Amino acid sequence: MRRRVVVTGVSVVTALGLDVSEFWDKICAGKSGIGPVERFDCSDYKVRFGGEVKDFDATEYTNLTAKDLKRVDRFVQFGLVGAHIAYRQAQLEDFDGDPYRRGVLVGSGIGGLNEIENQHDRLYNQGPARVSPFMIPKLMVNAASGNISVTYKLKGPNSAVATACASATNAIGDAFKLIQNDVADIMVTGGSEAAVTPMGLSGFARMNALSTRNDDPQSASRPFDRDRDGFVIAEGAGIIVLEEYEHAKKRGIPILAEVIGYGMSADGSHMTAPDPEGRGAGRAMQNAIRDAGINNEDIDYINTHGTSTPLGDVAETAAINTVFGAHVNKMPVSSTKGHLGHLLGASGGVEFVVAVKALQEQTAPPTVNLDEPDEKCNLDYIPQEPREMKINRILKNSFGFGGHNACLVLQNAP
């Protein structure tokens, strides 16, 4: 018998702030966290804006010192702060349970890109003797998971996922399965990313993956809009505490939501472009719904991947139409990347928190900057304003370069 898995802690580190309640209010108010990049000079770049986490100081949220934090990359700092906030909400700081039944599984698409760039400069400008001895443990994709494990003495499963922009959703899904199958009772999971760097910004721009609306950054990310021209790169983290249902009840901790299904698949067709008919994405949705043991008609709302790319939004729309058929007329969908940009490997973690809040508030968030839907995008996308509605179950989609597709099904807290 599979065990039930619930959510007992959530956190966000985003361009719209770190307080989950304020973050949700800003999402529903249509606020944008997108603006000119300030952490480095990009005046001669093709794209000069993104979703930066401004005025970030990890010492304000953790017990780590400034010296400690110099030994971890910015993406790890995001993950540690997110873990601290979610861990505290789950009331685990003084919990004296078996550490081997508590684990961590955090995803990242790229890992310590900032550290790679800094040490590359040192190597070529100052020589190999000046390369930092902390470089390797700082840049590893598993560095967020490893440091969270060390900080909170989590001695159960400890792993990391790197499936591009599906990383966080794959991480949450894998953590869900570890608890469901009695390998662990508590998992700290989600995703963290800090790729708003010179190479990150220029690399995605050279792929023509990014919007070039330098004169109007806040309207640049336009999921499903006919005038969309690419995604907006962003950074941050979305960290979640998952817990076995009876274990959470015994602790008397408030339960925020329940995870009931996880599905994944591959496009197997192209490294950066989605299958134009969304066949792989559709299979991942079907697998998640089947895993949840429900019918397609039981999904009330989809929090889409919705990146604002010309190809991605059409492919996801096609997949949803194929999977849900006539039910799409009763099932609104939306994307929050218009507010936040695309946090790459962390996006699924932040959007998972959005889904939890949507269940709690019985409100589907809006898709900002959606003025005129693309003629190939024919779903009910909830433009501009949030929609109060009855929501029992949500499907969360995430898709990544390499053809990675991952979906989760959440439902109201038991």
Side-chain angles (χ1 to χ4, degrees), residues 63-252:
N63 295 324
L64 300 172
T65 66
K67 182 179 179 181
D68 295 329
L69 293 169
K70 285 184 178 179
R71 298 182 177 184
V72 295
D73 187 85
R74 184 172 171 87
F75 96 97
V76 175
Q77 294 186 21
F78 290 156
L80 284 167
V81 168
H84 176 77
I85 295 170
Y87 215 68
R88 185 174 54 190
Q89 182 179 25
Q91 299 178 28
L92 287 167
E93 290 169 307
D94 299 319
F95 176 63
D96 192 26
D98 182 355
Y100 292 94
R101 297 289 298 179
R102 285 174 275 164
V104 55
L105 210 168
V106 173
S108 182
I110 302 176
L113 184 58
N114 189 65
E115 181 65 10
I116 292 171
E117 295 177 25
N118 289 340
Q119 298 307 318
H120 180 272
D121 286 347
R122 279 197 185 193
L123 175 64
Y124 284 96
N125 293 324
Q126 302 178 49
R130 298 297 298 170
V131 170
S132 170
F134 300 107
M135 178 186 71
I136 298 299
K138 285 179 73 172
L139 65 81
M140 301 184 305
V141 171
N142 60 318
S145 282
N147 278 282
I148 292 169
S149 169
V150 170
T151 300
Y152 295 101
K153 312 301 180 190
L154 307 176
K155 300 184 179 183
N158 181 5
S159 188
V161 173
T163 50
C165 303
S167 296
T169 298
N170 275 129
I172 297 167
D174 292 349
F176 160 65
K177 287 297 175 184
L178 287 169
I179 296 174
Q180 193 178 59
N181 292 310
D182 201 15
V183 180
D185 296 323
I186 294 171
M187 292 294 296
V188 178
T189 183
S192 188
E193 198 82 84
V196 185
T197 70
M199 285 179 63
L201 186 62
S202 60
F204 282 111
R206 286 286 292 142
M207 294 176 67
N208 294 321
L210 301 182
S211 169
T212 57
R213 292 174 184 260
N214 292 299
D215 57 343
D216 191 9
Q218 295 202 344
S219 71
S221 181
R222 312 178 64 81
F224 307 108
D225 188 87
R226 68 183 181 186
D227 293 328
R228 68 195 184 283
D229 65 336
F231 72 82
V232 174
I233 191 171
E235 62 180 2
I239 303 295
I240 293 96
V241 174
L242 297 182
E243 188 165 355
E244 193 274 327
Y245 173 53
E246 295 296 338
H247 193 275
K249 275 201 340 180
K250 186 176 180 181
R251 291 201 305 121

Side-chain angles (χ1 to χ4, degrees), residues 12-55:
V12 294
V13 179
T14 72
L16 283 178
L18 282 67
D19 183 282
V20 171
S21 294
E22 292 179 5
F23 163 82
W24 172 254
D25 289 344
K26 290 178 180 176
I27 291 287
C28 290
K31 302 291 185 183
S32 171
I34 309 303
V37 170
E38 296 179 356
R39 289 188 60 239
F40 57 93
D41 180 9
C42 55
S43 55
D44 60 347
Y45 284 42
K46 179 180 179 182
V47 176
R48 300 184 291 278
F49 60 95
E52 286 183 301
V53 181
K54 303 280 179 63
D55 303 319

Side-chain angles (χ1 to χ4, degrees), residues 168-401:
T169 298
N170 275 129
I172 297 167
D174 292 349
F176 160 65
K177 287 297 175 184
L178 287 169
I179 296 174
Q180 193 178 59
N181 292 310
D182 201 15
V183 180
D185 296 323
I186 294 171
M187 292 294 296
V188 178
T189 183
S192 188
E193 198 82 84
V196 185
T197 70
M199 285 179 63
L201 186 62
S202 60
F204 282 111
R206 286 286 292 142
M207 294 176 67
N208 294 321
L210 301 182
S211 169
T212 57
R213 292 174 184 260
N214 292 299
D215 57 343
D216 191 9
Q218 295 202 344
S219 71
S221 181
R222 312 178 64 81
F224 307 108
D225 188 87
R226 68 183 181 186
D227 293 328
R228 68 195 184 283
D229 65 336
F231 72 82
V232 174
I233 191 171
E235 62 180 2
I239 303 295
I240 293 96
V241 174
L242 297 182
E243 188 165 355
E244 193 274 327
Y245 173 53
E246 295 296 338
H247 193 275
K249 275 201 340 180
K250 186 176 180 181
R251 291 201 305 121
I253 186 74
I255 293 172
L256 310 179
E258 181 173 9
V259 183
I260 60 173
Y262 172 41
M264 53 182 167
S265 72
D267 282 357
S269 60
H270 194 278
M271 279 304 294
T272 56
D275 180 311
E277 298 178 30
R279 287 169 290 197
R283 179 57 65 94
M285 294 183 218
Q286 290 177 318
N287 289 343
I289 293 168
R290 184 183 305 113
D291 186 53
I294 60 175
N295 299 314
N296 292 354
E297 292 74 18
D298 295 322
I299 298 296
D300 301 308
Y301 158 74
I302 299 178
N303 186 273
T304 65
H305 188 56
T307 55
S308 178
T309 57
L311 296 180
D313 290 358
V314 172
E316 185 170 11
T317 296
I320 292 171
N321 273 308
T322 300
V323 170
F324 290 95
H327 183 58
V328 296
N329 297 320
K330 302 178 181 177
M331 182 187 62
V333 308
S334 65
S335 166
T336 47
K337 288 188 172 69
H339 308 70
L340 299 165
H342 190 354
L343 285 82
L344 309 178
S347 62
V350 171
E351 291 159 8
F352 182 95
V353 178
V354 170
V356 170
K357 289 298 294 182
L359 286 167
Q360 291 182 308
E361 303 298 332
Q362 293 291 285
T363 300
T367 307
V368 297
N369 298 324
L370 176 53
D371 297 326
E372 293 289 341
D374 183 321
E375 63 180 9
K376 295 180 180 177
C377 297
N378 59 352
L379 303 174
D380 179 2
Y381 298 106
I382 315 180
Q384 313 300 354
E385 301 287 338
R387 184 179 301 176
E388 293 184 9
M389 57 179 283
K390 184 175 178 59
I391 309 176
N392 292 318
R393 296 185 181 90
I394 292 175
L395 179 66
K396 169 67 212 127
N397 289 343
S398 293
F399 312 124
F401 284 171

